PDB file of all heavy atoms in Angstrom:
ATOM      1  N   SER A   9     142.362  91.981  28.472  1.00 53.00           N
ATOM      2  CA  SER A   9     141.768  93.065  29.229  1.00 53.00           C
ATOM      3  C   SER A   9     142.263  93.291  30.721  1.00 53.00           C
ATOM      4  O   SER A   9     142.375  94.328  31.197  1.00 53.00           O
ATOM      5  CB  SER A   9     140.156  92.993  29.319  1.00 53.00           C
ATOM      6  OG  SER A   9     139.848  91.792  30.065  1.00 53.00           O
ATOM      7  N   ILE A  66     153.597 140.092  82.154  1.00 92.00           N
ATOM      8  CA  ILE A  66     154.242 139.382  83.215  1.00 92.00           C
ATOM      9  C   ILE A  66     155.782 139.407  83.224  1.00 92.00           C
ATOM     10  O   ILE A  66     156.485 138.750  84.086  1.00 92.00           O
ATOM     11  CB  ILE A  66     153.931 137.799  83.378  1.00 92.00           C
ATOM     12  CG1 ILE A  66     154.259 137.131  82.100  1.00 92.00           C
ATOM     13  CG2 ILE A  66     152.335 137.684  83.634  1.00 92.00           C
ATOM     14  CD1 ILE A  66     154.142 135.596  82.214  1.00 92.00           C
ATOM     15  N   TYR A  84     159.223 138.171  89.851  1.00 91.00           N
ATOM     16  CA  TYR A  84     160.311 138.699  88.920  1.00 91.00           C
ATOM     17  C   TYR A  84     160.958 137.594  88.096  1.00 91.00           C
ATOM     18  O   TYR A  84     161.816 137.820  87.421  1.00 91.00           O
ATOM     19  CB  TYR A  84     161.316 139.443  89.716  1.00 91.00           C
ATOM     20  CG  TYR A  84     160.887 140.629  90.550  1.00 91.00           C
ATOM     21  CD1 TYR A  84     161.524 140.959  91.740  1.00 91.00           C
ATOM     22  CD2 TYR A  84     159.821 141.435  90.045  1.00 91.00           C
ATOM     23  CE1 TYR A  84     161.065 142.130  92.543  1.00 91.00           C
ATOM     24  CE2 TYR A  84     159.392 142.543  90.717  1.00 91.00           C
ATOM     25  CZ  TYR A  84     159.972 142.809  91.944  1.00 91.00           C
ATOM     26  OH  TYR A  84     159.493 143.905  92.592  1.00 91.00           O
ATOM     27  N   ASN A 104     151.679 133.007  67.605  1.00 92.00           N
ATOM     28  CA  ASN A 104     151.112 134.304  67.846  1.00 92.00           C
ATOM     29  C   ASN A 104     151.673 135.500  66.942  1.00 92.00           C
ATOM     30  O   ASN A 104     151.181 136.406  66.622  1.00 92.00           O
ATOM     31  CB  ASN A 104     151.124 134.649  69.348  1.00 92.00           C
ATOM     32  CG  ASN A 104     150.340 133.766  70.079  1.00 92.00           C
ATOM     33  OD1 ASN A 104     149.135 133.885  70.099  1.00 92.00           O
ATOM     34  ND2 ASN A 104     150.872 132.674  70.580  1.00 92.00           N
ATOM     35  N   VAL A 118     162.556 134.274  47.421  1.00 96.00           N
ATOM     36  CA  VAL A 118     161.778 134.383  46.203  1.00 96.00           C
ATOM     37  C   VAL A 118     162.205 135.587  45.302  1.00 96.00           C
ATOM     38  O   VAL A 118     162.242 135.461  44.090  1.00 96.00           O
ATOM     39  CB  VAL A 118     160.257 134.617  46.638  1.00 96.00           C
ATOM     40  CG1 VAL A 118     159.274 134.850  45.430  1.00 96.00           C
ATOM     41  CG2 VAL A 118     159.766 133.451  47.503  1.00 96.00           C
ATOM     42  N   GLN A 135     162.032 146.484  50.774  1.00 96.00           N
ATOM     43  CA  GLN A 135     162.535 147.560  51.715  1.00 96.00           C
ATOM     44  C   GLN A 135     161.591 147.857  52.934  1.00 96.00           C
ATOM     45  O   GLN A 135     162.109 147.986  54.009  1.00 96.00           O
ATOM     46  CB  GLN A 135     162.707 148.893  50.869  1.00 96.00           C
ATOM     47  CG  GLN A 135     163.802 148.773  49.824  1.00 96.00           C
ATOM     48  CD  GLN A 135     165.206 148.826  50.453  1.00 96.00           C
ATOM     49  OE1 GLN A 135     165.211 149.173  51.525  1.00 96.00           O
ATOM     50  NE2 GLN A 135     166.194 148.361  49.589  1.00 96.00           N
ATOM     51  N   TYR A 305     153.416 153.993  91.122  1.00 96.00           N
ATOM     52  CA  TYR A 305     154.361 155.267  90.774  1.00 96.00           C
ATOM     53  C   TYR A 305     153.744 156.042  89.773  1.00 96.00           C
ATOM     54  O   TYR A 305     153.641 157.283  89.814  1.00 96.00           O
ATOM     55  CB  TYR A 305     155.620 154.673  90.312  1.00 96.00           C
ATOM     56  CG  TYR A 305     156.687 155.800  90.178  1.00 96.00           C
ATOM     57  CD1 TYR A 305     157.502 156.133  91.391  1.00 96.00           C
ATOM     58  CD2 TYR A 305     156.939 156.557  89.082  1.00 96.00           C
ATOM     59  CE1 TYR A 305     158.418 157.121  91.186  1.00 96.00           C
ATOM     60  CE2 TYR A 305     157.870 157.524  88.974  1.00 96.00           C
ATOM     61  CZ  TYR A 305     158.660 157.829  90.038  1.00 96.00           C
ATOM     62  OH  TYR A 305     159.437 158.906  90.012  1.00 96.00           O
ATOM     63  N   THR A 337     153.725 148.266  97.862  1.00 89.00           N
ATOM     64  CA  THR A 337     154.314 147.503  98.925  1.00 89.00           C
ATOM     65  C   THR A 337     153.260 146.602  99.656  1.00 89.00           C
ATOM     66  O   THR A 337     153.566 145.898 100.701  1.00 89.00           O
ATOM     67  CB  THR A 337     154.692 148.490 100.133  1.00 89.00           C
ATOM     68  OG1 THR A 337     153.652 149.348 100.366  1.00 89.00           O
ATOM     69  CG2 THR A 337     156.018 149.179  99.703  1.00 89.00           C
ATOM     70  N   ASP A 388     168.317 174.263  75.015  1.00 94.00           N
ATOM     71  CA  ASP A 388     167.308 173.896  76.012  1.00 94.00           C
ATOM     72  C   ASP A 388     165.921 174.316  75.433  1.00 94.00           C
ATOM     73  O   ASP A 388     164.857 173.603  75.782  1.00 94.00           O
ATOM     74  CB  ASP A 388     167.632 174.665  77.183  1.00 94.00           C
ATOM     75  CG  ASP A 388     166.746 174.285  78.435  1.00 94.00           C
ATOM     76  OD1 ASP A 388     166.656 173.139  78.694  1.00 94.00           O
ATOM     77  OD2 ASP A 388     166.063 175.164  78.964  1.00 94.00           O
ATOM     78  N   PHE A 436     158.346 171.577  82.144  1.00 95.00           N
ATOM     79  CA  PHE A 436     159.758 171.479  81.841  1.00 95.00           C
ATOM     80  C   PHE A 436     160.609 172.419  82.764  1.00 95.00           C
ATOM     81  O   PHE A 436     160.657 173.768  82.400  1.00 95.00           O
ATOM     82  CB  PHE A 436     159.921 171.643  80.366  1.00 95.00           C
ATOM     83  CG  PHE A 436     161.178 171.177  79.750  1.00 95.00           C
ATOM     84  CD1 PHE A 436     161.411 169.758  79.693  1.00 95.00           C
ATOM     85  CD2 PHE A 436     162.217 172.035  79.272  1.00 95.00           C
ATOM     86  CE1 PHE A 436     162.617 169.367  79.240  1.00 95.00           C
ATOM     87  CE2 PHE A 436     163.391 171.551  78.783  1.00 95.00           C
ATOM     88  CZ  PHE A 436     163.625 170.112  78.678  1.00 95.00           C
ATOM     89  N   LEU A 453     155.686 157.042  80.806  1.00 97.00           N
ATOM     90  CA  LEU A 453     154.382 157.036  80.987  1.00 97.00           C
ATOM     91  C   LEU A 453     153.562 156.892  79.724  1.00 97.00           C
ATOM     92  O   LEU A 453     152.545 156.114  79.619  1.00 97.00           O
ATOM     93  CB  LEU A 453     153.982 158.349  81.712  1.00 97.00           C
ATOM     94  CG  LEU A 453     152.581 158.555  82.354  1.00 97.00           C
ATOM     95  CD1 LEU A 453     152.623 159.843  83.374  1.00 97.00           C
ATOM     96  CD2 LEU A 453     151.477 158.586  81.450  1.00 97.00           C
ATOM     97  N   GLN A 480     161.131 140.501  96.228  1.00 79.00           N
ATOM     98  CA  GLN A 480     160.370 139.224  96.400  1.00 79.00           C
ATOM     99  C   GLN A 480     161.114 138.172  97.111  1.00 79.00           C
ATOM    100  O   GLN A 480     162.316 138.307  97.397  1.00 79.00           O
ATOM    101  CB  GLN A 480     159.946 138.778  94.922  1.00 79.00           C
ATOM    102  CG  GLN A 480     159.283 139.721  94.132  1.00 79.00           C
ATOM    103  CD  GLN A 480     157.789 140.032  94.636  1.00 79.00           C
ATOM    104  OE1 GLN A 480     157.223 139.313  95.420  1.00 79.00           O
ATOM    105  NE2 GLN A 480     157.229 141.315  94.325  1.00 79.00           N
ATOM    106  N   ILE A 487     165.005 140.692  92.845  1.00 92.00           N
ATOM    107  CA  ILE A 487     164.896 141.958  92.142  1.00 92.00           C
ATOM    108  C   ILE A 487     164.615 141.625  90.635  1.00 92.00           C
ATOM    109  O   ILE A 487     165.060 140.582  90.203  1.00 92.00           O
ATOM    110  CB  ILE A 487     166.050 142.850  92.361  1.00 92.00           C
ATOM    111  CG1 ILE A 487     167.300 142.104  91.968  1.00 92.00           C
ATOM    112  CG2 ILE A 487     166.035 143.414  93.770  1.00 92.00           C
ATOM    113  CD1 ILE A 487     168.547 143.051  91.789  1.00 92.00           C
ATOM    114  N   TRP A 520     173.835 148.607  75.670  1.00 97.00           N
ATOM    115  CA  TRP A 520     173.507 150.100  75.855  1.00 97.00           C
ATOM    116  C   TRP A 520     173.151 150.532  77.272  1.00 97.00           C
ATOM    117  O   TRP A 520     173.059 151.626  77.514  1.00 97.00           O
ATOM    118  CB  TRP A 520     172.411 150.495  74.921  1.00 97.00           C
ATOM    119  CG  TRP A 520     171.188 149.552  74.846  1.00 97.00           C
ATOM    120  CD1 TRP A 520     170.836 148.858  73.644  1.00 97.00           C
ATOM    121  CD2 TRP A 520     170.226 149.232  75.771  1.00 97.00           C
ATOM    122  NE1 TRP A 520     169.701 148.104  73.924  1.00 97.00           N
ATOM    123  CE2 TRP A 520     169.331 148.384  75.143  1.00 97.00           C
ATOM    124  CE3 TRP A 520     170.035 149.625  77.079  1.00 97.00           C
ATOM    125  CZ2 TRP A 520     168.264 147.725  75.770  1.00 97.00           C
ATOM    126  CZ3 TRP A 520     168.925 149.175  77.745  1.00 97.00           C
ATOM    127  CH2 TRP A 520     168.027 148.112  77.143  1.00 97.00           C
ATOM    128  N   ASP A 521     173.107 149.437  78.191  1.00 96.00           N
ATOM    129  CA  ASP A 521     172.916 149.731  79.541  1.00 96.00           C
ATOM    130  C   ASP A 521     174.040 150.098  80.418  1.00 96.00           C
ATOM    131  O   ASP A 521     174.723 149.100  81.073  1.00 96.00           O
ATOM    132  CB  ASP A 521     171.977 148.468  80.117  1.00 96.00           C
ATOM    133  CG  ASP A 521     171.423 148.664  81.571  1.00 96.00           C
ATOM    134  OD1 ASP A 521     171.743 149.781  82.093  1.00 96.00           O
ATOM    135  OD2 ASP A 521     170.843 147.751  82.003  1.00 96.00           O
TER     136      ASP A 521
END
Side-chain angles (χ1 to χ4, degrees):
Chain A
S9 64
I66 63 171
Y84 299 146
N104 295 282
V118 179
Q135 292 292 340
Y305 190 91
T337 49
D388 185 60
F436 199 68
L453 198 165
Q480 300 292 338
I487 54 165
W520 42 248
D521 184 358

